Amino acid sequence: MTAEGPEAGQGGDGEHGLLAMLPRLTQLSGAVNRGRVAERAMEAAGVSVDRPAMSVLAALHLAGTPLRVGEIAARMQVVGPHITRQVNELARRGLVRRVIDPDDQRARLIEPTAEGAAATDRYMRTVLGWFSDALAGWSPDDREVFGRLLGRFVDDLTAHLNSFDDDRPG
């Protein structure tokens, strides 16, 4: 694959090529980050934690089951000590608790408290409401296709980019 062939968005695939996608991906990233989506959603939902802590709560919510710190870190693609700090602060604030892992009595799992689950639910409903509003004019078929293709793209791109880490000399 070269930067001059069709793979780069030139040649036969025109506007729909990879090169044409880059400004749109930049625009999406800017809309989400500059628009302070996470911060605005937390404010609207009445959740007063920082973005990394909210990400831990969201990871637990999406998992639907208690997780070990390492599992949370893997899902968030960060290192364990970062998650441990966030979990300690969330536990201090009464939003998560440590429970015994039934498969290994020595290990601890992290689960949201009722207050943490309620805060996360409010946050998620706020964000999903905004996404739903943005897609209100889309047909159910368009929504399904978009969701499927977006998931595939993110999974494939993440796997490809993660392979760069595997190529590093140890």
Side-chain angles (χ1 to χ4, degrees), residues 83-96:
I83 299 303
T84 299
R85 284 189 299 276
Q86 294 301 322
V87 165
N88 288 342
E89 179 60 19
L90 288 166
R92 186 188 70 73
R93 296 185 60 190
L95 298 172
V96 299

Side-chain angles (χ1 to χ4, degrees), residues 54 57 61 94-96 111-125:
M54 189 70 245
L57 289 170
H61 177 84
L95 298 172
V96 299
E111 70 177 8
T113 62
E115 182 181 351
T120 307
D121 186 59
R122 289 191 312 273
Y123 170 82
M124 297 296 278
R125 280 188 284 119

Side-chain angles (χ1 to χ4, degrees), residues 27-47 49-51 54-55 122-132 134:
Q27 181 182 2
L28 175 62
S29 176
V32 170
N33 291 320
R34 280 192 309 272
R36 297 180 44 246
V37 171
E39 291 83 358
R40 289 174 190 231
M42 287 185 288
E43 184 178 315
V47 179
V49 297
D50 61 15
R51 187 189 293 202
M54 189 70 245
S55 296
R122 289 191 312 273
Y123 170 82
M124 297 296 278
R125 280 188 284 119
T126 299
V127 172
L128 292 176
W130 293 342
F131 288 175
S132 181

Side-chain angles (χ1 to χ4, degrees), residues 10-106:
Q10 300 174 6
D13 57 351
E15 284 288 316
H16 301 289
L18 296 176
L19 188 58
M21 286 189 337
L22 290 177
R24 303 305 275 177
L25 291 170
T26 301
Q27 181 182 2
L28 175 62
S29 176
V32 170
N33 291 320
R34 280 192 309 272
R36 297 180 44 246
V37 171
E39 291 83 358
R40 289 174 190 231
M42 287 185 288
E43 184 178 315
V47 179
S48 61
V49 297
D50 61 15
R51 187 189 293 202
M54 189 70 245
S55 296
V56 170
L57 289 170
L60 289 168
H61 177 84
L62 294 171
T65 187
L67 299 172
R68 290 183 181 199
V69 166
E71 292 171 314
I72 298 169
R75 288 169 187 248
M76 293 176 57
Q77 299 181 351
V78 297
V79 295
H82 173 73
I83 299 303
T84 299
R85 284 189 299 276
Q86 294 301 322
V87 165
N88 288 342
E89 179 60 19
L90 288 166
R92 186 188 70 73
R93 296 185 60 190
L95 298 172
V96 299
R97 67 177 154 253
R98 290 172 174 84
V99 296
I100 295 172
D101 184 339
D103 297 329
D104 181 352
Q105 299 294 306
R106 300 165 297 169

